Amino acid sequence: MDTYDFRKDFPFFESELNKGLVYFDNAATSQRPLCVSEAVADFYKNSNANPLRGLYDLSVRATDIYETSRAKVAEFVNAESSSEIIFTRNATESLNLVAYSYGMNYVGEGDEIVITAMEHHSNILPWQMVCKAKKARLVWLECGTDGVIPESEWKKKITARTKIVSLAHVSNVFGITNPVKEIASFAHKTGNGGKGAVVVVDGAQSVPHFKVDVRSLGADFLAFSGHKALGPMGIGALYAKKEFLEQMPPFLRGGEMIEYVTREDATYAELPHKFEAGTVNAGGAAGLAAALDYLNKVGFDFIEKNDNELALFIMNGMKQIPHVHIIGNEDPARHSGIITFTVDDVHPHDIASMLSSENIAIRAGHHCAQPLMQKLGVGSTARASVYFYNTKTEAELFLDRLSKVRGWMGL
Ligand SMILES: Cc1ncc(COP(=O)(O)O)c(C=O)c1O
């Protein structure tokens, strides 16, 4: 099977509305194969009932579909048990769950929370909130312009005062993979007065692109979104080690997450339901399960190979175009298919809209990483991000049109 074979499974590319479209904004959201939309439709067509509530067969079937999906997510990230998987709406909600439920309860005055300079706002704002509320300090790990965080930096800044280390596995701007395993191992030895800091991994950009194994990484928490990994929007997951989930209070309260309620108080349901208040997104979970099956079918060897080949081709092509500057690492294999760039004297928004008139979709803006933009001294940048269904022909077209952008601006 090659890129063209897989591409046939994506009705999006066949749609009259998208004929000829070069979709290079996969870091924002991926497209979905037909099996994913079919799984969602099938749930609503044949098995729709409120899961976890009814005692009739249909509701039991809906519950089975939902729980089977949870087990699939657990296996996908190599969790020890499916009760360590909490369904959320997306990576943002997963990170907020950890901040509200763990951070707000286990971080105190004088403690430190360590994040990196390349975080997405979803992995900054929740920690700013915790630090402000608890009089803790937010510590930033700096990186070079190549996106690399030097070992000396994390060895210096992760200390006995560190309660939490929360970092992107893959940066949505540089595409670089951070050395999470090494950082986690150090944080577990050094943080929290030697008892170990908690390590939170933002897997939004890693889970779709290579095998993420929470146990070998040493992650205590891992957040990701379904929609960047072929799944539906509105379903994501949080992996969390059971020992933490057991000690953490619920994030949201209401139906479904209780064991018993009196006028005064409540006791909570077993894991993972304690963290899933209200009616769940079972249709989304069914779609996510289909997405993970499909990713397994494609295989991460193929995904990584295509990411790297296209990144190499695009970066080499960009280097031939005067006035185009690639942000981040020189090595295309360290980009996870994400190439962020600028063009001299052309605003990134203009680059994106000119390419859009050529039927090419790329991202432009601050990529929800304003502190990184400030550090790099740019207001915004353009970003092309590829996935396994993108082709060299698309990359050629992109490079050709990119080479004309300054000319179109009269430069
Ligand atoms: C690194 C990273 N973290 C978190 C997010 C947030 O993902 P979502 O909007 O699906 O919650 C994104 C989305 O672009 C991301 O790239």
Side-chain angles (χ1 to χ4, degrees):
M1 298 275 277
D2 69 11
T3 298
Y4 288 94
D5 296 317
F6 292 125
R7 208 175 156 90
K8 288 191 202 119
D9 294 333
F10 290 72
F12 175 88
F13 296 112
E14 301 295 313
S15 156
E16 273 306 312
L17 291 172
N18 307 320
K19 268 257 146 40
L21 174 73
V22 174
Y23 183 75
F24 273 8
D25 195 16
N26 294 284
T29 195
S30 70
Q31 299 303 333
R32 290 116 194 72
L34 183 62
C35 60
V36 169
S37 346
E38 279 179 347
V40 178
D42 184 66
F43 175 81
Y44 288 111
K45 216 157 68 185
N46 298 310
S47 303
N48 180 52
N50 204 319
L52 310 157
R53 292 191 185 186
L55 294 173
Y56 47 92
D57 285 355
L58 177 61
S59 175
V60 171
R61 193 157 78 235
T63 307
D64 278 351
I65 291 172
Y66 185 64
E67 292 303 330
T68 303
S69 169
R70 192 195 305 281
K72 201 150 273 180
V73 174
E75 194 187 325
F76 199 76
V77 298
N78 197 27
E80 227 163 85
S81 108
S82 50
S83 59
E84 294 181 319
I85 302 297
I86 314 294
F87 280 122
T88 60
R89 284 187 303 141
N90 45 42
T92 303
E93 187 175 304
S94 300
L95 292 163
N96 272 276
L97 193 161
V98 186
Y100 273 96
S101 189
Y102 186 85
M104 290 297 272
N105 289 290
Y106 295 97
V107 171
E109 192 167 344
D111 287 342
E112 292 183 350
I113 297 177
V114 175
I115 62 174
T116 82
M118 66 183 85
E119 296 310 317
H120 187 280
H121 296 162
S122 296
N123 198 28
I124 299 175
L125 274 70
W127 306 117
Q128 286 178 339
M129 173 201 68
V130 174
C131 286
K132 279 185 190 141
K134 298 293 163 186
K135 298 196 172 66
R137 200 163 79 92
L138 194 58
V139 174
W140 297 75
L141 299 182
E142 302 298 339
C143 57
T145 48
D146 58 357
V148 174
I149 305 170
E151 188 173 327
S152 56
E153 178 71 5
W154 47 268
K155 289 208 161 151
K156 181 173 74 195
K157 292 190 177 164
I158 299 173
T159 68
R161 285 187 300 278
T162 309
K163 266 282 165 72
I164 296 173
V165 177
S166 189
L167 78 169
H169 197 179
V170 168
S171 154
N172 66 318
V173 175
F174 293 124
I176 201 161
T177 302
N178 283 314
V180 170
K181 190 173 177 159
E182 292 74 12
I183 292 179
S185 153
F186 185 73
H188 284 146
K189 277 190 229 121
T190 315
N192 194 18
K195 294 198 287 286
V198 160
V199 177
V200 184
V201 182
D202 175 356
Q205 299 292 350
S206 58
V207 168
H209 287 271
F210 52 83
K211 179 72 191 164
V212 174
D213 176 332
V214 286
R215 282 191 268 176
S216 102
L217 271 184
D220 297 308
F221 296 92
L222 173 94
F224 74 94
S225 298
H227 70 92
K228 293 183 200 285
L230 310 181
M233 292 191 182
I235 186 89
L238 172 70
Y239 155 80
K241 267 190 198 145
K242 211 172 181 168
E243 62 188 89
F244 295 109
L245 290 178
E246 272 163 357
Q247 76 187 67
M248 284 156 57
F251 171 41
L252 299 171
R253 291 166 165 81
E256 221 46 71
M257 48 71 72
I258 56 91
E259 182 189 57
Y260 196 69
V261 182
T262 63
R263 284 193 172 196
E264 292 76 30
D265 213 350
T267 55
Y268 304 122
E270 294 277 292
L271 292 177
H273 304 291
K274 178 171 111 178
F275 290 98
E276 292 181 359
T279 298
V280 297
N281 182 1
L288 180 58
L292 299 184
D293 280 342
Y294 190 88
L295 280 177
N296 280 330
K297 185 174 100 176
V298 178
F300 282 116
D301 286 348
F302 182 82
I303 295 174
E304 283 187 74
K305 185 169 162 282
N306 205 57
D307 279 354
N308 294 343
E309 282 174 4
L310 284 182
L312 173 69
F313 186 76
I314 291 171
M315 287 169 70
N316 278 345
M318 280 177 164
K319 285 182 192 158
Q320 307 307 313
I321 309 174
H323 303 284
V324 172
H325 306 281
I326 298 166
I327 306 240
N329 209 274
E330 281 283 315
D331 181 357
R334 299 188 75 181
H335 278 258
S336 277
I338 294 174
I339 303 114
T340 297
F341 62 98
T342 55
V343 179
D344 287 340
D345 308 312
V346 188
H347 194 283
H349 287 180
D350 290 329
I351 304 173
S353 36
M354 280 184 277
L355 292 181
S356 175
S357 9
E358 296 293 308
N359 218 9
I360 297 169
I362 63 152
R363 187 64 171 267
H366 51 64
H367 315 293
C368 299
Q370 281 181 326
L372 179 59
M373 296 294 120
Q374 289 149 15
K375 179 182 167 69
L376 296 172
V378 288
S380 61
T381 62
R383 180 186 72 188
S385 53
V386 299
Y387 209 9
F388 63 87
Y389 41 65
N390 288 124
T391 67
K392 204 168 148 198
T393 309
E394 291 180 307
E396 272 164 352
L397 198 77
F398 163 73
L399 288 168
D400 176 69
R401 299 305 187 269
L402 180 64
S403 70
K404 300 192 164 118
V405 157
R406 274 178 54 93
W408 288 330
M409 292 291 286
L411 294 165

